[in-house]
Amino acid sequence: MNIYVLLKRTFDTEEKINIQQGKIDEDGAEFIINPYDEYAVEEAINQRDQHGGEVTVVTIGEEDSEKQLRTALAMGADKAVLINTEDDLEAGDQFTTARILEAYFEGKQPDLILAGNVAIDEASGQVGPRLAERLGMPYVTTITNLEIKGESADIERDVEGDVEKVQTSLPLLVTCQQGLNEPRYPSLPGIMKAKKKPLEELELDDLDLDEDDVEPKTKTIEVFLPPEKAAGRVLEGEVNDQVKELVSLLKTEAKVL
Amino acid sequence: MSETKEKMFKGGAFIIEDLEPEDIITPEDFTDEHHMIAKTTEDFVAGEVVPKIDKLENHEFEHSVQLLKQAGELGLLGVDVPEEYGGLGLDKISSSLITEKFSKAGGFSVTHGAHVGIGSLPIVFFGNEAQKQKYLPLLATGEKLAAYALTEPGSGSDALGAKTTAKLNEAGTHYLLNGEKQWITNSAFADIFIVYAKVDGEKFTAFIVEREFPGVSTGAEEKKMGIKSSSTRTVILEDAEVPVENVLGEIGRGHVIAFNILNVGRYKLAIGGVGGSKIGIELSAKYANERKQFNTPISRFSLIQEKLATMAAKTYANESAVYRTVGLFEQRMSNLSNEELNDGKAVAAAIAEYQVECSLNKVSATELMDFVADEAVQIHGGYGFMQEYEVERMYRDSRIQRIFEGTNEINRLLVPGSLLKKAMKGELPLLQKAQALQEELMMLMPEEVGSEPLEQEKYLLKNAKKIGLLAAGLAAQKYGNKLEQEQEILANIADIVNEVYNMEAAVLRTEKAINKSGLEASSLKLLYTQVYVQEAFNRVEANAKETLIASEEGDTLRMMLSAMRKLTRHDPTNVIAKKREIAKRIIEEEKYVV
């Protein structure tokens, strides 16, 4: 099987977000593989071990993303591709990403593409589905189980806590949800082998794309932090009065009623 | 340039030599692979070990065995074992990073350390081909677990006073071992023990003893103050039958193995101390930000800030010093040929070369750990005294570190002892330097110190080295062969040498970082160095003064003190202001950062 994983480098979940001049400050921050993409890498490796074939991990980003690709290689992926847009693009959105990936997949014969359900930074959940549309293949999101038999795939997906069972066919794109598997730790032999595995670097030019082709369809107007949590309030007096006061506060202050 | 790369440093030479930043390995030199190995270890400990700590503390050792096997699957047990024996044969930095990251595992880090370090390394370094083939592949995967049995009820620091005996049976096939080994880490479940016994009651010898051999048993689990997650029992040998092919190294040469393995154990312990201190800082900074008194997070109080900054500056200096030693080992070991690596003598010589550095690191980093644990509890106030808080366990766990692998007192005495030996053998021209210094001091004029970054610190470092030589030279002159009896003076000298090693490591690391990444990116490193060097210099001065006063009197003493004043004269750094700057960063990041 020809298996591909779409991977994004994101902030470590424990990083604090600081905003400097309208942008998220990345100075000194730690980066990781987007946790949902880790499920995708793990699943890809398991499917390959079961059915044979090759796992290629693809990311769009900057030179620094190489570290996350190496980690995926250390987990057991076979090849990695970095589409480096550092010099070409100033801004991008989900359209940009899907369009670049579409160009990347041109002429390739993927049987299975796996992505995270969302990235923990921007959390749009769009890239996978949009790419599948562009490639004209079926897609299933938030999967928690995947069984492939020949050309067909039995899938369980998480629907707001319920399970939906779906049957579809390859080639196929899926996005991975927590519960699908337990991603492995990259082993030390894996880390040493990863050094020698192929990591290809491409630029927009190599994909016959111009900056204009991938110009974002959206514009970020403002980036801001959620308001700081205010201190709680304890209502006092008779219970009846407290309830009345609460209802009135919910109407006038919180404006939820 | 290639010449500096090839430069190999003699152990202890730093006292009289001036080094360049390129001469030492620093954490900023770690490769991507090193960082990945560290991350795997960190994630494994956080994800698998930490959730089980309560069970481990409760002596449910089946989990220890299970966790070690899991660690083995990831390769975390095979780093120091050569590839041809089923290990990974990685460099010393990799194995050190694993040790550092295991410190989050509390007492389980001792379990892990005893297996990969003092348990497995005797066979790695001193085993013959057959022994390596037989045991190392099993140890590297965790299929078999190892322990180290040196201490006895009557012999701790005086290891060679062991009473356990070994006697060849009549058939000449087995040694019969009799005796009791005490406080043996991993003894509840270890399959293989490295045991020291005296053949015919005289010849101190190391043996590989399997748990399954007839006559081997263990006592009851000890009730300890800390590191409860590790198993500690006696190992009882009653006519224990050990095949002759399980003699490790040469008969009568067990001390070579014992002492060199302890050297490695010491620097590994120091790395653990640095790792543990980083955790202490993180817990303290987080807590200080959360905890409010007088409607103010206590991290805003400058006395709390002072604690965090001191913890961090000391951690920086120790981290620099410990990885400096790791670099020395790596360089020397990787320069050994395959033939030499299979020859116990060459390996022992390579390890013994840095005996002084190992002892220095052990003393300094375990005292750092104790200091940090103590301050971490203090920052937590009454909550730090409660078992729900991690610092309570950290405080109890850290206490043993100043005691095992050679007490810090023994390690202090080893430092001047081995330096003097090296001087006598002509390996280090210490005495010549000390004499030259006395002449130099007569002529010494005050020096203008520039205001460029690190100029002041380099000046203080240079003078600290001279002060150390002055004090040591004077004490040696005064007491001659009887210096051995003056343990207080020897400890003072060891402490001065230790400060010099740490100061120099911090200065060179910071300089290397500035050269590589610029001053702005290295601003915190510079602050740490300024604070540490100033405070260390004050300690050097106090120790030297005490030594002079104990060695001379009257006019000679006054003359020596005034000579020393020439060396201690300087414009002191405002450490209070610098510490506030450091604390700001630590509080912001809620962890130790550089």
Side-chain angles (χ1 to χ4, degrees):
Chain A
M1 270 210 303
N2 245 337
I3 307 172
Y4 289 85
V5 178
L6 313 180
L7 180 146
K8 188 174 187 183
R9 167 183 186 260
T10 56
F11 261 50
D12 194 328
T13 45
E14 285 182 21
E15 281 299 328
K16 280 194 188 159
I17 311 286
N18 290 315
I19 296 190
Q20 293 268 347
Q21 281 139 19
K23 278 189 175 166
I24 294 172
D25 183 18
E26 297 193 348
D27 247 16
E30 303 266 347
F31 288 86
I32 53 170
I33 296 178
N34 172 39
Y36 293 99
D37 300 350
E38 257 189 359
Y39 300 126
V41 175
E42 178 67 29
E43 192 60 25
I45 295 166
N46 289 337
Q47 294 295 340
R48 177 205 61 196
D49 290 349
Q50 234 178 337
H51 304 287
E54 203 174 58
V55 174
T56 307
V57 187
V58 187
T59 196
I60 300 173
E62 304 175 356
E63 201 69 47
D64 287 339
S65 308
E66 208 184 301
K67 283 193 186 132
Q68 282 65 42
L69 289 176
R70 287 278 174 218
T71 303
L73 292 173
M75 286 172 75
D78 302 289
K79 294 198 296 197
V81 177
L82 167 61
I83 303 172
N84 191 337
T85 56
E86 198 166 1
D87 300 331
D88 295 328
L89 296 183
E90 281 196 359
D93 64 3
Q94 293 75 23
F95 165 78
T96 313
T97 308
R99 181 72 191 85
I100 294 173
L101 288 171
E102 179 192 8
Y104 169 75
F105 278 105
E106 205 178 289
K108 296 195 166 52
Q109 307 281 329
D111 298 301
L112 180 63
I113 303 176
L114 300 108
N117 159 38
V118 290
I120 57 163
D121 48 11
E122 288 168 339
S124 77
Q126 291 184 25
V127 171
R130 288 176 85 148
L131 175 66
E133 284 290 340
R134 286 180 169 271
L135 297 179
M137 61 168 70
Y139 69 86
V140 183
T141 57
T142 58
I143 70 161
T144 54
N145 194 34
L146 173 64
E147 284 195 35
I148 294 172
K149 288 176 206 132
E151 292 298 299
S152 96
D154 288 331
I155 296 175
E156 288 177 15
R157 62 184 299 260
D158 169 41
V159 200
E160 306 279 325
D162 283 335
V163 179
E164 188 174 85
K165 293 189 177 178
V166 183
Q167 201 170 52
T168 181
S169 62
L170 304 187
L172 166 72
L173 185 146
V174 292
T175 72
C176 305
Q177 170 69 312
Q178 189 172 13
L180 177 62
N181 53 41
E182 272 302 317
R184 68 194 69 194
Y185 306 104
S187 73
L188 270 52
I191 291 169
M192 300 322 284
K193 272 185 222 147
K195 237 186 347 189
K196 296 174 197 122
K197 288 182 179 173
L199 192 153
E200 187 185 8
E201 199 175 322
L202 301 172
E203 292 191 12
L204 289 191
D205 259 2
D206 303 311
L207 301 173
D208 287 328
L209 286 173
D210 280 336
E211 226 174 292
D212 297 345
D213 299 331
V214 298
E215 197 182 330
K217 301 284 189 195
T218 58
K219 209 166 122 186
T220 302
I221 310 291
E222 197 189 346
V223 177
F224 54 92
L225 292 172
E228 257 190 66
K229 206 178 151 200
R233 249 167 77 186
V234 180
L235 303 178
E236 280 170 17
E238 294 289 321
V239 174
N240 279 343
D241 295 338
Q242 285 190 38
V243 171
K244 272 183 204 151
E245 200 185 342
L246 178 64
V247 171
S248 106
L249 286 173
L250 288 174
K251 279 183 181 159
T252 55
E253 268 190 31
K255 295 188 176 117
V256 292
L257 290 180
Chain B
M1 282 312 281
S2 63
E3 207 174 293
T4 41
K5 266 191 182 162
E6 291 302 312
K7 203 152 70 177
M8 189 112 80
F9 290 93
K10 280 195 166 303
F14 65 93
I15 299 169
I16 44 172
E17 278 176 15
D18 290 320
L19 282 86
E20 298 296 322
E22 290 71 32
D23 293 336
I24 69 163
I25 296 285
T26 73
E28 285 67 47
D29 298 322
F30 297 165
T31 63
D32 283 350
E33 280 75 35
H34 288 140
H35 290 296
M36 284 167 82
I37 289 171
K39 177 90 168 53
T40 283
T41 315
E42 205 173 355
D43 290 349
F44 170 74
V45 171
E48 309 298 323
V49 184
V50 170
K52 297 211 175 81
I53 281 189
D54 284 345
K55 293 194 168 102
L56 296 174
E57 288 284 290
N58 203 24
H59 291 176
E60 294 171 33
F61 294 127
E62 65 274 20
H63 296 290
S64 312
V65 174
Q66 181 57 33
L67 285 168
L68 281 175
K69 290 194 196 306
Q70 272 176 273
E73 280 165 24
L74 288 174
L76 294 172
L77 306 182
V79 174
D80 283 330
V81 177
E83 276 181 282
E84 58 264 47
Y85 305 111
L88 294 165
L90 296 182
D91 63 338
K92 299 290 164 241
I93 295 173
S94 299
S95 66
S96 301
L97 280 167
I98 293 173
T99 303
E100 186 186 322
K101 295 300 178 187
F102 256 97
S103 49
K104 181 76 184 167
F108 184 72
S109 68
V110 179
T111 303
H112 169 260
H115 172 71
V116 297
I118 54 180
S120 298
L121 290 181
I123 303 178
V124 172
F125 290 145
F126 302 104
N128 61 33
E129 184 59 27
Q131 291 165 343
K132 288 182 186 176
Q133 295 275 9
K134 182 172 179 190
Y135 292 109
L136 291 183
L138 302 170
L139 295 174
T141 54
E143 213 169 310
K144 298 267 180 196
L145 300 173
Y148 185 79
L150 173 63
T151 299
E152 295 184 8
S155 63
S157 297
D158 179 18
L160 298 183
K163 294 213 165 55
T164 301
T165 57
K167 199 169 187 304
L168 195 61
N169 65 2
E170 277 180 19
T173 56
H174 290 77
Y175 281 96
L176 299 180
L177 268 58
N178 279 290
E180 188 174 300
K181 293 289 172 180
Q182 184 172 254
W183 300 332
I184 307 310
T185 300
N186 290 355
S187 44
F189 48 79
D191 306 287
I192 291 160
F193 297 86
I194 305 299
V195 174
Y196 294 88
K198 284 182 172 165
V199 174
D200 302 329
E202 282 172 15
K203 289 168 256 171
F204 194 69
T205 305
F207 295 88
I208 305 171
V209 178
E210 295 184 25
R211 186 183 207 95
E212 298 304 317
F213 290 167
V216 180
S217 62
T218 58
E221 194 61 39
E222 301 283 356
K223 296 189 174 79
K224 301 180 302 241
M225 174 195 284
I227 57 165
K228 290 174 192 270
S229 289
S230 68
S231 162
T232 311
R233 299 180 179 188
T234 51
V235 173
I236 301 157
L237 304 154
E238 289 165 310
D239 282 333
E241 294 174 29
V242 182
V244 286
E245 58 267 26
N246 276 28
V247 169
L248 186 61
E250 291 171 46
I251 290 172
R253 306 273 303 160
H255 60 284
V256 176
I257 300 177
F259 294 144
N260 283 304
I261 290 303
L262 281 179
N263 275 335
V264 178
R266 280 168 193 157
Y267 90 73
K268 282 187 181 267
L269 203 58
I271 294 160
V274 168
S277 299
K278 291 183 186 177
I279 296 162
I281 293 169
E282 185 172 336
L283 293 171
S284 301
K286 281 196 174 130
Y287 182 82
N289 277 343
E290 270 168 29
R291 173 70 174 168
K292 282 186 184 164
Q293 286 291 277
F294 311 104
N295 282 325
T296 311
I298 61 169
S299 62
R300 298 232 186 107
F301 298 122
S302 56
L303 209 45
I304 299 292
Q305 293 174 2
E306 192 277 337
K307 290 182 192 299
L308 291 169
T310 309
M311 289 151 91
K314 284 188 173 190
T315 300
Y316 180 76
N318 274 278
E319 179 184 41
S320 310
V322 166
Y323 280 102
R324 174 184 184 180
T325 307
V326 173
L328 289 170
F329 264 108
E330 174 54 28
Q331 203 187 15
R332 198 160 276 260
M333 298 298 268
S334 63
N335 268 322
L336 292 180
S337 66
N338 274 342
E339 204 176 309
E340 285 171 318
L341 277 172
N342 283 320
D343 169 17
K345 275 183 199 146
V347 172
I351 299 173
E353 185 64 37
Y354 301 116
Q355 189 194 4
V356 169
E357 284 80 355
C358 289
S359 287
L360 293 175
N361 286 158
K362 196 273 177 180
V363 169
S364 183
T366 58
E367 289 179 8
L368 163 78
M369 179 70 244
D370 236 18
F371 165 76
V372 168
D374 187 77
E375 288 288 54
V377 169
Q378 195 67 18
I379 290 172
H380 279 69
Y383 290 101
F385 203 65
M386 301 297 144
Q387 295 196 344
E388 301 98 278
Y389 285 80
E390 195 176 334
V391 290
E392 185 270 345
R393 177 171 52 75
M394 175 179 275
Y395 183 85
R396 287 184 291 103
D397 284 351
S398 85
R399 190 60 187 83
I400 186 63
Q401 302 198 12
R402 282 163 51 202
I403 298 169
F404 62 19
E405 311 290 50
T407 63
N408 284 14
E409 288 67 31
I410 287 288
N411 272 294
R412 280 191 162 87
L413 297 177
L414 280 172
V415 170
S418 4
L419 287 175
L420 223 52
K421 253 183 238 158
K422 279 175 180 269
M424 296 304 178
K425 277 198 232 161
E427 287 174 17
L428 279 182
L430 277 180
L431 304 176
Q432 296 86 318
K433 285 271 179 182
Q435 261 161 12
L437 176 69
Q438 292 205 354
E439 284 159 33
E440 185 194 329
L441 280 180
M442 299 300 157
M443 312 291 181
L444 193 71
M445 298 299 281
E447 207 174 310
E448 273 297 312
V449 182
S451 55
E452 288 295 303
L454 292 176
E455 268 191 275
Q456 161 97 345
E457 288 67 38
K458 285 182 182 174
Y459 173 75
L460 292 179
L461 169 63
K462 185 177 74 177
N463 282 4
K465 287 189 183 188
K466 288 182 179 166
I467 292 169
L469 266 182
L470 177 75
L474 188 71
Q477 227 171 32
K478 167 84 181 178
Y479 293 103
N481 288 337
K482 290 195 187 125
L483 186 56
E484 223 175 282
Q485 317 286 328
E486 306 297 320
Q487 295 193 334
E488 304 93 322
I489 290 182
L490 293 174
N492 276 350
I493 294 170
D495 285 347
I496 295 173
V497 174
N498 215 337
E499 293 295 5
V500 163
Y501 192 65
N502 291 355
M503 284 159 90
E504 185 165 63
V507 167
L508 293 176
R509 176 180 176 188
T510 303
E511 188 177 6
K512 200 173 188 182
I514 292 174
N515 292 346
K516 186 177 164 190
S517 315
L519 191 57
E520 202 188 329
S522 314
S523 59
L524 190 55
K525 295 188 182 78
L526 183 60
L527 284 167
Y528 286 147
T529 309
Q530 289 166 331
V531 165
Y532 187 83
V533 167
Q534 180 64 59
E535 295 195 327
F537 190 82
N538 298 346
R539 292 188 289 264
V540 166
E541 185 179 350
N543 275 322
K545 203 168 161 188
E546 195 178 277
T547 305
L548 294 187
I549 294 168
S551 307
E552 285 294 350
E553 50 193 15
D555 282 346
T556 326
L557 172 61
R558 271 191 286 280
M559 210 176 72
M560 296 312 289
L561 286 174
S562 94
M564 193 175 91
R565 268 197 295 277
K566 288 186 183 177
L567 292 170
T568 57
R569 199 171 294 145
H570 67 285
D571 291 329
T573 304
N574 179 355
V575 289
I576 290 182
K578 302 261 178 213
K579 282 185 184 177
R580 287 189 182 183
E581 284 183 65
I582 291 173
K584 213 175 139 218
R585 294 284 300 276
I586 301 290
I587 291 163
E588 212 174 84
E589 303 279 348
E590 293 193 332
K591 61 182 178 196
Y592 169 79
V593 282
V594 294

